[in-house]
Amino acid sequence: MIVSVVPGGARIDEDSTQESIALPSFDVDWRYGLDDRSDIGFRLNTASGGIVTWRRRLDGPSSRPTTATALMLGAGLVNFGQHAHVEATLIRSGREGGSVVPYGGLRAIQIAPLSSTAVHDRPTLGAFGGARFGGAAARIGVEVGVFYDRSALGLRRNDFVVVPSFSVNSIRLGRKRADDR
């Protein structure tokens, strides 16, 4: 589950004196391993669309606890089918297995209109970095991203967006698998 809030993310009424309001977002993300170097994911985007991603480790099998580089490509429909979403991410992470794993990467995202009434947007480009703390059973992460993103709706004055993030992930609930004992 991904919970986020976009400050100034929506405008209620075009004629209102209120410029914009904070827009909460609730996404759900699932990932499934395909082999020792690849996985596929599906993200339900605030119940308004879906994005499928494929991630491939470029420098060896994931069973090796070394630094890793991966390419992730994704595509889907967002904003209730009004836009196509395409993304590419290059990720580099530190050695897995330790209690602290630093990581960083580059990301490009394009949202393209699929109807004549949908808003046209320009590509979003940026970099991110952070660290995950903990082990395989439970991890927390902190991250910050800096992106160049022109506001298609004119809701922001600045084209650079700083995105802080805090995450809790990889918590296994329910019964253990045989290889987790």
Side-chain angles (χ1 to χ4, degrees):
M1 172 70 79
I2 302 165
V3 179
S4 60
V5 176
V6 179
R11 188 174 282 154
I12 297 296
D13 182 2
E14 292 292 326
D15 299 327
S16 171
T17 57
Q18 181 181 8
E19 287 189 24
S20 59
I21 62 167
L23 182 65
S25 172
F26 304 93
D27 297 358
V28 180
D29 186 54
W30 297 274
R31 296 212 73 80
Y32 301 98
L34 299 174
D35 58 34
D36 63 350
R37 294 173 70 158
S38 302
D39 65 19
I40 191 166
F42 177 74
R43 184 169 70 240
L44 182 60
N45 184 255
T46 311
S48 69
I51 300 166
V52 175
T53 57
W54 171 77
R55 184 172 53 190
R56 175 85 173 162
R57 184 169 172 167
L58 303 176
D59 51 7
S62 59
S63 60
R64 291 189 5 215
T66 64
T67 58
T69 303
L71 176 65
M72 185 167 69
L73 304 173
L77 297 174
V78 295
N79 302 326
F80 298 102
Q82 292 291 307
H83 293 91
H85 170 102
V86 179
E87 65 181 65
T89 305
L90 183 64
I91 308 162
R92 178 84 172 153
S93 68
R95 180 184 168 94
E96 290 285 339
S99 59
V100 178
V101 179
Y103 66 91
L106 303 171
R107 178 171 289 143
I109 302 169
Q110 175 63 55
I111 306 297
L114 295 176
S115 75
S116 59
T117 59
V119 175
H120 292 265
D121 201 1
R122 294 194 174 148
T124 298
L125 305 170
F128 59 91
R132 290 190 314 263
F133 303 89
R139 293 186 284 209
I140 62 169
V142 293
E143 177 181 309
V144 66
V146 178
F147 296 89
Y148 177 78
D149 178 54
R150 297 200 51 190
S151 177
L153 298 175
L155 297 176
R156 286 182 275 106
R157 291 185 186 101
N158 193 342
D159 291 337
F160 286 94
V161 180
V162 176
V163 182
S165 171
F166 175 78
S167 63
V168 177
N169 59 15
S170 295
I171 298 173
R172 293 194 178 121
L173 300 174
R175 67 180 192 177
K176 289 186 170 190
R177 298 181 311 196
D179 59 351
D180 289 340
R181 293 187 191 139

